[in-house]
Amino acid sequence: MKIIMKYINTKNRSNIVSFKKALIENQSNNNGLYMPEFIPEFGSLFLRSLKRMSDTEIMQEVLFPYVSEFINKNKLRDIIEKSLNFKIPLVQIEENIHVLELFHGPTLAFKDVGARFLSEILGEFKTENSITRILVSTSGDTGGAVARAFSGKEGFEVYVLYPKNGVSLFQESQITMNAKNVFPIEVDGTFDDCQRMVKSFLQNQDLRRELNLITANSINIGRLLPQIVYYFLAYKQLPHHKHDTVISVPCGNLGNLTAGVIANKMGLPVHKFVSGVNENKVFYNLLKSGNLKIKPSVKTCSNAMDVGNPSNLDRLMYICNQDLAEMRSVICSQTINEEECLDTISNVYKSSNYILDPHSAIGYQSLKNKIKPYQSGIFLATAHPSKFEQVVQRAIPEYTAKQAIEIKNTHKRSIKNEENALKEVLYS
């Protein structure tokens, strides 16, 4: 008998919806996020067969239980082949440490995985003669990935909110150099301000319906689900599975980590996840002290992780049954400051001739601080170093980005940190 996956509100378990509704609504009226009603378990037979399967086949098997209500396997395969058509290699850089390179997509960041999949799957639900408006906040990489994924896509308009002086030149160029259906909005504030405005507009039911608004941030379950697959791809590529595997994830909004924990619940054998954070350490402090204290974000060289109020904490708490002890059994955390981040970039280049971007450097150093000699370690490289050339040059003076920035045909609109200013843009 076919089991149909429904989606449940993390703050109201009686609110159960279809995949399509979860995709369109993104979050419920009470700020709850949608999660799969259950997490399908894959047994040891599936894990043993991974090395014989193509990456596309693995993605298809992992994702199908979540979308089977609306998409058959053949259609899902078509979507995967269109959206996730770039390599995701696991590269060894030390004896027991590998890096999963998630930056081989068109905008050189892991956000391409979720953004491109979401773009294709939303296209399947698109009704004719209507405009769907995508509202997204970004601390750097999300904006470029979503802008690229929807650029020129008929029936969609994309509004990207990003903090003034809060993203790199490379990132800003990726946001502002797209087709006319992409509207970059520079906000005189922080990422948290951008995120707050997006959530506020999505909570306004009348506004959301009138403008046909959805988001492409990771609060959208369609952005989160495809991120599960690359944890299975990493496991497939490990040369051996004799030791405990520890996976280090650079963290900002906690979506990447949430996807990893879901993969673990599906049966992927991970001994521990390490949440690497910069000086925005709300999640680190929660695990350490047990107290959640939301704080304004502070600016660092790893700007995509400059998040003071991580959205997906709600999902992590849901997965762990609101039990901090259970969360600590799965996740530990490390905080890496600015100086340590730059030292890590320099040291890894000298020892392994491998160049890290500042986010991946936090993932690496967090892993090094936690891993035991008998364990196998994987850290996620979430962006290509060329996206942060000026930062990398502070650690490696001779570094020159292979990816040149050609800035042309840019367009953006600057607004005050006010909801009325954003409303004016959306209605113009």
Side-chain angles (χ1 to χ4, degrees):
M1 186 174 109
K2 183 179 179 181
I3 299 175
I4 300 299
M5 178 71 75
K6 296 294 185 180
Y7 288 81
I8 192 165
N9 178 350
T10 56
K11 292 185 177 177
N12 178 6
R13 296 190 179 220
S14 65
N15 177 210
I16 301 174
V17 302
S18 67
F19 172 64
K20 181 178 180 179
K21 191 167 184 179
L23 198 70
I24 300 301
E25 287 191 357
N26 309 296
Q27 62 183 138
S28 61
N29 295 340
N30 60 5
N31 284 318
L33 302 181
Y34 287 112
M35 278 289 290
E37 191 176 13
F38 65 93
I39 295 177
E41 294 185 29
F42 286 43
S44 58
L45 183 62
F46 176 74
L47 294 174
R48 289 198 299 270
S49 68
L50 287 178
K51 289 189 182 295
R52 300 193 301 272
M53 298 169 68
S54 70
D55 288 358
T56 299
E57 288 170 337
I58 293 170
M59 295 175 188
Q60 185 182 34
E61 291 300 318
V62 170
L63 289 174
F64 185 65
Y66 297 105
V67 302
S68 60
E69 182 178 2
F70 285 95
I71 300 173
N72 62 38
K73 274 196 171 183
N74 288 335
K75 173 55 71 173
L76 177 59
R77 187 182 183 96
D78 289 343
I79 289 172
I80 289 169
E81 288 177 344
K82 287 179 184 176
S83 58
L84 306 180
N85 52 2
F86 49 88
K87 60 183 180 179
I88 304 178
L90 188 72
V91 177
Q92 184 171 5
I93 64 170
E94 293 177 19
E95 184 177 352
N96 65 332
I97 291 182
H98 292 75
V99 53
L100 186 66
E101 294 184 343
L102 298 172
F103 51 70
H104 293 281
T107 69
L108 308 179
F110 81 101
K111 301 296 178 71
D112 285 321
V113 173
R116 288 168 63 81
F117 182 84
L118 179 63
S119 171
E120 292 297 327
I121 208 161
L122 280 175
E124 292 298 313
F125 298 140
K126 191 78 184 70
T127 56
E128 293 183 8
N129 303 318
S130 67
I131 297 293
T132 298
R133 293 173 178 85
I134 311 288
L135 189 59
V136 61
S137 56
T138 184
S139 54
D141 290 328
T142 295
V146 172
R148 178 68 175 268
F150 286 90
S151 183
K153 198 170 183 69
E154 189 174 349
F156 292 93
E157 292 179 357
V158 182
Y159 297 82
V160 182
L161 280 66
Y162 66 97
K164 183 178 181 179
N165 300 322
V167 300
S168 74
L169 180 63
F170 198 120
Q171 289 171 322
E172 185 171 24
S173 70
Q174 289 184 327
I175 295 168
T176 58
M177 290 168 52
N178 285 282
K180 292 181 179 180
N181 69 320
V182 177
F183 302 90
I185 304 170
E186 180 187 62
V187 177
D188 189 10
T190 67
F191 167 72
D192 293 328
D193 295 320
C194 298
Q195 182 167 256
R196 171 183 49 77
M197 281 198 277
V198 168
K199 288 183 176 180
S200 173
F201 275 57
L202 294 171
Q203 284 293 298
N204 186 324
Q205 301 297 310
D206 294 335
L207 188 66
R208 196 177 74 197
R209 291 192 191 97
E210 185 177 346
L211 292 172
N212 198 16
L213 281 180
I214 65 172
T215 188
N217 281 108
S218 60
I219 62 173
N220 190 318
I221 193 66
R223 253 281 313 277
L224 183 68
L225 290 175
Q227 294 179 242
I228 299 169
V229 300
Y230 48 68
Y231 289 93
F232 285 91
L233 299 183
Y235 185 81
K236 169 191 174 180
Q237 296 175 76
L238 268 178
H240 55 76
H241 303 119
K242 297 179 182 178
H243 310 298
D244 292 339
T245 302
V246 179
I247 299 181
S248 178
V249 184
C251 289
N253 240 338
L254 301 178
N256 217 353
L257 181 62
T258 300
V261 174
I262 293 173
N264 180 229
K265 296 286 186 182
M266 290 178 71
L268 190 73
V270 180
H271 175 70
K272 201 88 169 184
F273 288 94
V274 183
S275 165
V277 301
N278 59 22
E279 291 166 78
N280 294 279
K281 42 191 177 183
V282 169
F283 186 59
Y284 170 85
N285 289 336
L286 172 65
L287 291 180
K288 184 178 180 180
S289 69
N291 298 316
L292 177 61
K293 293 183 178 180
I294 303 301
K295 296 181 178 181
S297 60
V298 297
K299 190 175 178 181
T300 74
C301 68
S302 49
N303 66 284
M305 298 162 63
D306 293 348
V307 180
N309 187 7
S311 297
N312 285 288
L313 178 57
D314 194 38
R315 284 190 172 118
L316 277 177
M317 293 299 295
Y318 176 84
I319 295 170
C320 296
N321 301 303
Q322 310 300 325
D323 186 343
L324 201 57
E326 183 176 338
M327 185 180 290
R328 286 170 173 150
S329 71
V330 180
I331 306 165
C332 63
S333 187
Q334 279 282 285
T335 177
I336 306 298
N337 65 33
E338 202 93 334
E339 183 180 355
E340 291 170 320
C341 177
L342 294 173
D343 285 345
T344 297
I345 296 173
S346 175
N347 293 337
V348 170
Y349 178 65
K350 291 173 183 175
S351 64
S352 303
N353 196 32
Y354 191 89
I355 301 174
L356 298 167
D357 89 288
H359 309 82
S360 309
I362 289 174
Y364 168 88
Q365 193 57 52
S366 297
L367 178 63
K368 287 289 283 187
N369 290 354
K370 288 293 187 181
I371 195 170
K372 304 292 191 298
Y374 58 86
Q375 295 174 327
S376 293
I378 297 172
F379 71 96
L380 306 190
T382 54
H384 194 281
S386 63
K387 297 193 78 168
F388 303 92
E389 182 176 15
Q390 291 180 317
V391 175
V392 175
Q393 284 177 342
R394 288 163 61 187
I396 308 171
E398 64 270 29
Y399 175 73
T400 301
K402 293 181 181 178
Q403 303 282 344
I405 307 173
E406 184 183 3
I407 301 176
K408 59 181 181 179
N409 302 324
T410 63
H411 61 289
K412 69 178 179 181
R413 186 163 175 177
S414 299
I415 66 171
K416 295 179 180 179
N417 181 19
E418 297 173 356
E419 291 186 11
N420 284 337
L422 175 58
K423 188 178 291 187
E424 183 180 329
V425 174
L426 291 173
Y427 277 100
S428 61

